[in-house]
């Protein structure tokens, strides 16, 4: 009789060990199932099948450990059982009513069709609502941590609850401890017995403690749980359409390459926020990059998987291309003084937008620490205008509207609604939505000059709108992002304060394609000597300001 134990298995507990030992040593005849009924199975367990779910995910709050780490821990954990323990990887397929049947089929495939689990030869161990999926298929289910019967109570914490408790207590301990480093979760990582006596780790199995300490995993989850930049599944934002995003990254890869190519220094080259690896692909094709090593860093799970697939497909001509799924904000990505070139594109504004100023400053300091002397950080991103607090008067077209006064509920999706709005109508929607979650208030005043309507606002606010008004397919995501937090000179000042020297080849510029195709005819900007102009002669035309920068920060 097989025991099927599905779960993510990032932690293994003492309670689980004791429960499984009871089943292995004393059999199944007296144990109670999820309904509180005796199982009455005369056969003893012959093997334990650990179905490791979300096996293709790691480095996130929901899934901090890689598959190989979980597999090693399970094998160490299973030494006392005296029956075989098999670790079977189960890829994530999302919330699916067919997940149990998918798991059974995956086990069959992974074992070369040798292991077919059925209600006649398998008992399932599960203490979460996933148990219902196996019950539907006719399996008997043992509740493990859950008390048998309809009452929602538990003999012990679930592993995920243990992990959250440990993270919380470690955070409290760090807040109250001295400046002495708190490494690997233990005073002495070799003293497992001492660690078990501490309440914070008491419920963890010894095999779990060994692995977590050997690989520094307590520190890793500290970082993952404290990071406000990424979600539970390791993505910057849940609202991004990655199909659109990937196309955009590939479309502009050649432009990014041509802008940055003259400034790339050979050696160890890192691309942080590498998206789908397009920039690395172009740089390593260039003769100057043949002798270099390339490291692409991407935290978004979906994009990282595309990078790995591209590498497997042989799309990178240089064999020394490696991809890392790491967070570059909370700590160093590369060893100190190890990188000749670090490249980032369209990343720093996301750190400011989702993580805040302190995380942006931390990111800058980390890049400085990683570079060798003479190394360069190439940062290509949007930028705010100089004098961004200046008040300007804005005219916006309103003839293109097809909305006819209808609200969002009259459309099948938000994109259709936004596309029906004129430039002026869409601005008012932008005014409501822009960084609303972050508490930002975009203030405007309305004036009529010779019968024409103008709106007075800060230059940075109309620049934010201009940069986002046409991205209606990713509107919710765009509404979180701030582009104009620093001007070019403010960027230089902040980089120099950390120790960077700014290359004279750095520059700011205006994307003329945007001006010609998205700004002209849609919006006009003016300044005035008068706070409340009454006639056109008091309005002074104002050019659309810069939109982007190429900042070359040298160490």
């Amino acid at each position: 009789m097989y025991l099927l134990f599905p779960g993510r298995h990032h932690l293994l507990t003492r309670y689980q060990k004791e429960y499984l030992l009871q089943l292995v040593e004393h059999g199944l005849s007296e144990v109670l199932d999820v309904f509180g009924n005796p199982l009455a199975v005369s056969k003893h367990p012959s093997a334990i099948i650990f179905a490791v779910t979300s096996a293709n995910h790691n480095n996130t709050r929901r899934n901090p450990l890689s598959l190989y780490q979980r597999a090693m821990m399970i094998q160490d954990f299973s030494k006392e059982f005296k029956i075989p323990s098999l670790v079977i990887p189960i890829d994530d397929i999302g919330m699916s009513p067919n997940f149990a049947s998918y798991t059974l089929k995956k086990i069959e495939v992974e074992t070369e069709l040798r292991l077919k689990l059925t209600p006649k030869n398998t008992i399932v161990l599960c203490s979460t609502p996933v148990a219902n999926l196996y019950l539907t298929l006719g399996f008997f289910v043992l509740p493990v941590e859950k008390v048998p019967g309809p009452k929602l109570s538990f003999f012990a914490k679930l592993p995920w609850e243990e992990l959250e408790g440990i993270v919380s207590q470690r955070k409290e301990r760090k807040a109250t401890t001295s400046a002495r480093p708190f490494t690997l979760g233990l005073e002495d990582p070799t003293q497992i017995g001492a660690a078990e006596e501490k309440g914070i780790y008491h419920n963890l199995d010894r095999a779990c403690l060994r692995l977590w300490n050997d690989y520094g995993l307590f520190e890793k989850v500290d970082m993952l749980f404290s990071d406000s930049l990424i979600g539970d599944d390791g993505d910057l934002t849940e609202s991004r359409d990655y199909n659109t995003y990937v196309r955009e990254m590939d479309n502009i890869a050649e432009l990014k390459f041509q802008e940055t190519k003259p400034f790339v220094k050979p050696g160890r080259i890192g691309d942080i926020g590498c998206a789908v690896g397009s920039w690395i692909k172009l740089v390593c094709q260039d003769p100057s990059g043949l002798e270099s090593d390339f490291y692409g860093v991407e935290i978004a799970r979906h994009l990282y998987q595309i990078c790995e697939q591209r590498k497997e497909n042989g799309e990178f001509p240089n064999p020394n291309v490696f991809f890392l799924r790491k967070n570059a904000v909370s700590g160093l990505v590369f060893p100190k003084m190890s990188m000749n070139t670090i490249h980032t594109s369209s990343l720093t504004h996301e750190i400011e937008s989702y993580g805040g100023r302190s995380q942006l400053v931390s990111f800058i300091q980390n890049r400085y620490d990683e570079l060798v002397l003479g190394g360069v950080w190439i940062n290509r991103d949007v930028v705010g205008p100089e004098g961004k607090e200046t008040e300007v008067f804005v005219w916006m077209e309103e003839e293109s509207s097809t909305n006819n006064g209808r609200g969002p509920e009259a459309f099948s999706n938000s994109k259709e609604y936004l596309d029906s709005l004129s430039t002026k109508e869409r601005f008012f929607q932008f005014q409501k939505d822009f960084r609303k979650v972050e508490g930002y208030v975009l203030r405007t005043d309305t004036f009529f000059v010779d019968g024409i309507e103008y709106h007075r606002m800060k230059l940075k606010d109309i620049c934010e709108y201009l940069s986002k008004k046409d991205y209606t397919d990713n509107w919710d995501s765009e509404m979180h992002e701030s582009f104009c937090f620093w001007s070019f000179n403010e960027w230089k000042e902040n980089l120099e304060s950390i120790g960077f020297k700014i290359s004279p080849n750095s520059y700011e510029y205006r994307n003329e394609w945007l001006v010609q195709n998205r700004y002209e005819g849609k919006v006009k900007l003016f300044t005035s000597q008068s706070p409340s102009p009454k006639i056109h002669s008091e309005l002074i035309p104002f050019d659309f300001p810069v939109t982007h920068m190429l900042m070359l920060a040298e160490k």
Side-chain angles (χ1 to χ4, degrees), residues 121-287:
N121 67 10
T122 302
I123 304 297
V124 176
L125 281 64
C126 185
S127 53
T128 71
V130 173
N132 295 322
L133 302 179
Y134 289 97
L135 290 169
T136 301
L137 297 176
F139 286 88
F140 287 107
V141 176
L142 299 181
V144 196
E145 291 92 355
K146 184 182 178 299
V147 175
K151 188 176 180 181
L152 192 62
S153 57
F154 295 83
F155 292 116
K157 287 182 178 180
L158 299 176
W160 187 246
E161 294 171 329
E162 289 285 356
L163 180 57
E164 289 182 329
I166 288 171
V167 170
S168 176
Q169 291 181 68
R170 284 173 60 83
K171 185 176 180 181
E172 291 176 7
R173 181 180 292 186
K174 283 186 176 182
T176 57
T177 192
S178 66
R180 175 176 50 83
F182 192 79
T183 59
L184 300 182
L186 310 177
E187 300 300 325
D188 180 353
T190 64
Q191 299 296 317
I192 299 296
E196 290 177 330
E197 294 174 2
K198 299 175 183 289
I200 185 171
Y201 307 108
H202 177 73
N203 296 326
L204 302 187
D205 183 76
R206 293 168 65 87
C208 179
L209 277 169
R210 278 192 288 268
L211 181 104
W212 278 66
N213 279 290
D214 288 348
Y215 285 84
L217 298 176
F218 290 113
E219 288 186 332
K220 180 175 184 176
V221 295
D222 286 344
M223 179 272 288
L224 291 172
F225 275 76
S226 65
D227 189 352
S228 60
L229 194 65
I230 56 175
D232 285 350
D233 286 315
D235 289 320
L236 287 172
T237 170
E238 297 177 358
S239 59
R240 171 168 288 156
D241 178 352
Y242 277 113
N243 290 326
T244 302
Y245 186 73
V246 169
R247 286 195 300 270
E248 290 173 353
M249 292 300 100
D250 272 344
N251 289 341
I252 64 172
E254 182 66 31
L255 171 62
K256 291 193 294 184
F257 171 63
Q258 293 300 332
E259 281 188 355
T260 58
K261 175 185 173 182
F263 313 111
V264 174
K265 298 186 177 183
R268 288 169 58 92
I269 300 171
D271 185 13
I272 299 177
C274 67
V276 294
S278 304
W279 184 82
I280 288 179
K281 181 178 178 180
L282 292 172
V283 177
C284 72
Q285 285 175 346
D286 191 81

Side-chain angles (χ1 to χ4, degrees), residues 424-441:
K424 187 175 81 170
E425 290 170 332
R426 199 178 300 171
F427 172 79
F428 291 130
Q429 187 65 47
F430 174 85
Q431 187 176 26
K432 294 177 184 177
D433 296 342
F434 180 61
R435 295 186 67 76
K436 175 179 62 177
V437 174
E438 291 79 9
Y440 188 78
V441 178

Side-chain angles (χ1 to χ4, degrees), residues 26-62:
H26 300 289
L28 304 169
S29 59
E30 300 298 325
V31 68
L32 300 181
D33 67 11
V34 288
F35 302 109
N37 302 319
L39 197 57
V41 173
S42 58
K43 296 180 180 179
H44 272 60
S46 57
I48 305 174
I49 314 300
F50 288 86
V52 180
T53 59
S54 296
N56 56 330
H57 293 178
N58 68 89
N59 209 39
T60 70
R61 286 193 283 268
R62 279 177 49 81

Side-chain angles (χ1 to χ4, degrees), residues 109-123:
V109 170
E110 289 290 335
T111 58
E112 305 288 340
L113 307 182
R114 291 183 294 107
L115 195 58
K116 184 175 179 62
L117 304 185
T118 70
K120 292 182 178 181
N121 67 10
T122 302
I123 304 297

Side-chain angles (χ1 to χ4, degrees), residues 180-421:
R180 175 176 50 83
F182 192 79
T183 59
L184 300 182
L186 310 177
E187 300 300 325
D188 180 353
T190 64
Q191 299 296 317
I192 299 296
E196 290 177 330
E197 294 174 2
K198 299 175 183 289
I200 185 171
Y201 307 108
H202 177 73
N203 296 326
L204 302 187
D205 183 76
R206 293 168 65 87
C208 179
L209 277 169
R210 278 192 288 268
L211 181 104
W212 278 66
N213 279 290
D214 288 348
Y215 285 84
L217 298 176
F218 290 113
E219 288 186 332
K220 180 175 184 176
V221 295
D222 286 344
M223 179 272 288
L224 291 172
F225 275 76
S226 65
D227 189 352
S228 60
L229 194 65
I230 56 175
D232 285 350
D233 286 315
D235 289 320
L236 287 172
T237 170
E238 297 177 358
S239 59
R240 171 168 288 156
D241 178 352
Y242 277 113
N243 290 326
T244 302
Y245 186 73
V246 169
R247 286 195 300 270
E248 290 173 353
M249 292 300 100
D250 272 344
N251 289 341
I252 64 172
E254 182 66 31
L255 171 62
K256 291 193 294 184
F257 171 63
Q258 293 300 332
E259 281 188 355
T260 58
K261 175 185 173 182
F263 313 111
V264 174
K265 298 186 177 183
R268 288 169 58 92
I269 300 171
D271 185 13
I272 299 177
C274 67
V276 294
S278 304
W279 184 82
I280 288 179
K281 181 178 178 180
L282 292 172
V283 177
C284 72
Q285 285 175 346
D286 191 81
S288 63
L290 293 178
E291 300 299 323
S292 294
D293 295 339
F294 294 87
Y295 300 87
V297 180
E298 181 53 62
I299 189 61
R301 171 173 52 84
H302 186 81
L303 301 181
Y304 172 78
Q305 290 171 342
I306 293 174
C307 289
E308 287 290 298
Q309 185 61 56
R310 283 185 158 183
K311 181 178 179 181
E312 188 174 329
N313 293 344
E315 295 186 33
F316 301 95
N318 186 326
N320 294 322
V321 174
F322 309 95
F323 291 102
L324 312 170
R325 188 156 184 241
K326 298 185 71 173
N327 184 345
V329 177
S330 301
L332 297 175
V333 175
F334 311 110
K336 289 185 177 182
M337 300 280 290
S338 67
M339 303 303 292
N340 300 92
T341 299
I342 296 174
H343 171 260
T344 57
S345 182
S346 302
L347 176 64
T348 49
H349 77 270
E350 290 199 339
I351 297 171
E352 167 77 16
S353 301
Y354 292 99
R357 183 59 49 82
S358 63
Q359 292 205 10
L360 177 61
V361 173
S362 174
F363 179 87
I364 296 171
Q365 181 67 60
N366 290 338
R367 304 297 74 78
Y368 182 84
D369 292 342
E370 291 165 350
L371 288 171
V372 300
L373 292 176
V376 61
W377 172 26
I378 304 172
N379 183 24
R380 181 185 182 278
D381 208 345
V382 292
V383 70
E386 302 296 339
K388 58 182 182 289
E389 300 295 328
T390 302
E391 287 193 332
V392 293
F393 296 86
V394 183
W395 168 88
M396 289 175 277
E397 69 83 23
E398 51 188 317
E399 300 301 319
S400 62
S401 175
T402 59
N403 180 266
N404 299 319
R406 293 173 292 169
E409 66 281 354
F411 295 83
S412 61
N413 55 60
S414 62
K415 175 175 171 55
E416 286 187 7
Y417 166 67
L418 292 165
D419 287 344
S420 75
L421 302 176

